[in-house]
Amino acid sequence: MTSGGDERISNSYVPRVRHAYLTYKNWLVGQTWTTFMDVGSLPESLDFIGITDGITFGRQVMVRYTSGGLQLALENPESTITPFGGGGRIVSDDNTVPDFVAAYTSKYDWGYVKVAGLLRQLSYDNAGDIDADETSFGVAVSGKYKLSNGDDIRFMFNTGSGLGRYAALNAVNGAVLNANGDLEAIDTTGYAISYRHVWNEKARSSIMFSAFEADNDTALTGLGTTESTYSTRVNYLYSPTKALTVGAEYAFAHREVESGLEGDMNRLQVSVKYAF
């Protein structure tokens, strides 16, 4: 890691590297999207991801084996931890074992369904009075359903204990320290659904909804941590040529923290994209 990045979500570096990997037969070695994520279930959004509340997301170094619809991967470990009583996020690289992900994708005439499982170790060693480990696990189900008129429905559901940085762009940490210096995993659940309508061969729209909820023990995390979020988006995209796309998107988002404080966001976004 360099000063320009971190290993929590996107594994950025200076110079910036997003994907760098080699494939040989059934094997992949290098950095790319985590096996726990499903790129195909992401809607077409001006906001890159769009449904941030309800998805699993990450980019990191891994060794992955693929055979048909089956994928098995050992991936870069990293723990995000809330201090006892709340406060700034602790990012720990003290793990002794890699994260393990197993996924299976079933393809059909109408689309596909992907089921993925995550098993990992959360660790924190401050070279002092804390040397703690906790087991984290989770499951994600996602896919796409294609309609006969060219429209499609994309969906994602994920839940687990200690998902942390894998869920909702690390909206909540994987674990919290208790008064004894031990780690306790934080349970979270997220889901998202989107509908994409094709108006004609050059125009299409997507409407999206996603939500996230955390089961925090406020006696440990404090009242400043995120309890829930949700957002909805709708857009219109027009491609006069295959390479050029112009569009506009409206987004509404809501967040509530454990103290009861809440806030809303309204945003109108426009873009022009040229693919080459």
Side-chain angles (χ1 to χ4, degrees):
M1 185 187 75
T2 67
S3 59
D6 62 66
E7 300 176 47
R8 289 191 302 117
I9 299 170
S10 63
N11 273 263
S12 300
Y13 294 83
V14 175
R16 188 169 174 84
V17 175
R18 290 182 174 89
H19 300 271
Y21 58 87
L22 297 173
T23 58
Y24 178 72
K25 294 185 178 181
N26 298 76
W27 295 92
L28 178 148
V29 179
Q31 176 166 299
T32 189
W33 301 122
T34 172
T35 313
F36 197 54
M37 175 185 174
D38 180 12
V39 177
S41 68
L42 297 179
E44 190 175 17
S45 170
L46 277 65
D47 199 21
F48 180 46
I49 305 171
I51 50 173
T52 52
D53 316 77
I55 64 161
T56 56
F57 186 90
R59 185 172 56 228
Q60 57 198 13
V61 174
M62 68 186 69
V63 177
R64 178 194 293 165
Y65 174 79
T66 302
S67 178
L70 176 67
Q71 292 182 311
L72 303 173
L74 297 177
E75 305 191 3
N76 180 72
E78 187 90 338
S79 302
T80 56
I81 298 160
T82 300
F84 175 61
R89 171 182 287 130
I90 299 169
V91 180
S92 167
D93 197 20
D94 299 324
N95 308 75
T96 58
V97 295
D99 296 355
F100 174 70
V101 183
Y104 191 84
T105 302
S106 300
K107 296 182 179 180
Y108 306 93
D109 292 340
W110 49 261
Y112 75 92
V113 174
K114 176 179 177 179
V115 179
L118 170 71
L119 179 64
R120 66 179 184 139
Q121 177 192 64
L122 302 172
S123 300
Y124 179 49
D125 182 357
N126 68 352
D129 57 344
I130 299 177
D131 185 2
D133 298 311
E134 176 70 313
T135 299
S136 166
F137 56 88
V139 64
V141 180
S142 59
K144 180 193 294 186
Y145 184 83
K146 296 183 290 185
L147 302 174
S148 58
N149 62 352
D151 295 358
D152 63 66
I153 299 170
R154 310 179 193 196
F155 59 91
M156 160 70 75
F157 172 81
N158 64 86
T159 188
S161 179
L163 287 183
R165 65 187 180 88
Y166 281 95
L169 301 185
N170 209 170
V172 168
N173 293 322
V176 59
L177 284 166
N178 63 25
N180 298 320
D182 296 322
L183 291 174
E184 295 190 16
I186 300 172
D187 296 343
T188 61
T189 297
Y191 64 92
I193 188 167
S194 63
Y195 177 78
R196 180 176 181 264
H197 175 64
V198 178
W199 299 103
N200 52 56
E201 62 180 13
K202 293 184 178 181
R204 63 270 186 204
S205 294
S206 291
I207 183 169
M208 312 156 231
F209 179 82
S210 60
F212 170 85
E213 185 172 353
D215 185 13
N216 297 294
D217 184 345
T218 55
L220 303 180
T221 64
L223 298 176
T225 190
T226 297
E227 177 187 15
S228 63
T229 69
Y230 67 84
S231 64
T232 186
R233 292 169 171 82
V234 62
N235 62 33
Y236 180 83
L237 300 171
Y238 179 75
S239 300
T241 68
K242 185 176 181 180
L244 180 65
T245 299
V246 297
E249 181 171 296
Y250 169 73
F252 172 81
H254 177 86
R255 175 177 178 248
E256 184 172 352
V257 298
E258 289 289 356
S259 66
L261 292 174
E262 52 188 315
D264 297 333
M265 180 200 77
N266 291 274
R267 180 173 65 197
L268 179 63
Q269 187 174 352
V270 295
S271 73
V272 178
K273 182 178 73 173
Y274 183 78
F276 57 90

